[in-house]
Amino acid sequence: WSSTQATIALSSADAELYAMSKCAQQMAALISTAHDFGIEINGVVHSDSTAALGIAYRQGLGGKTRHVKVQYLWIQDAVLKKEQAISTIGTHENPADMLTKFVGAEVLAKHARALGMMFPP
């Protein structure tokens, strides 16, 4: 499924933080649903944005992030309490890039395979 971002971001770091927060919320919902069925799963939110990861790892706002909506800062608390795992992913290893950037056929095939998709030779 897809959706557009409801909040206007003033920087790419803000946009990445908003996306990371939404992904983490959806992952928490999936983990909770699986738990209801007696299935224990874990998940990690990967991001190639060092700025967004930096905001998520610290506490509170300041400087150039004063304008970020508080509703997106719950991820800071979740990371601090180790309720949510976040990790960096290199831009060349990020399968989402095939949907957001121009990539060559070789990289497209690699990312498609990583997502379990068939890609013609």
Side-chain angles (χ1 to χ4, degrees):
W1 66 89
S2 70
S3 62
T4 56
Q5 193 168 291
T7 304
I8 296 172
L10 299 179
S11 70
S12 60
D14 295 354
E16 293 280 354
L17 177 68
Y18 299 158
M20 185 187 310
S21 180
K22 184 172 183 176
C23 178
Q25 290 170 1
Q26 291 175 347
M27 185 184 334
L30 289 172
I31 290 170
S32 178
T33 301
H35 180 73
D36 290 344
F37 288 101
I39 302 168
E40 296 300 321
I41 61 173
N42 295 313
V44 178
V45 175
H46 296 280
S47 177
D48 62 357
S49 171
T50 54
L53 287 164
I55 295 169
Y57 277 120
R58 69 172 172 239
Q59 290 295 294
L61 296 172
K64 295 181 180 181
T65 60
R66 289 187 305 254
H67 60 279
V68 173
K69 291 188 174 186
V70 175
Q71 71 192 46
Y72 295 102
L73 297 182
W74 72 269
I75 197 165
Q76 291 179 336
D77 190 49
V79 169
L80 181 68
K81 292 178 180 176
K82 300 194 184 312
E83 296 169 352
Q84 178 63 59
I86 60 174
S87 176
T88 186
I89 186 168
T91 191
H92 299 292
E93 302 302 319
N94 190 354
D97 283 354
M98 77 175 178
L99 303 172
T100 60
K101 299 176 182 170
F102 173 80
V103 294
E106 184 178 310
V107 174
L108 180 63
K110 176 181 135 186
H111 290 331
R113 282 190 303 276
L115 296 175
M117 300 163 78
M118 300 298 292
F119 194 77

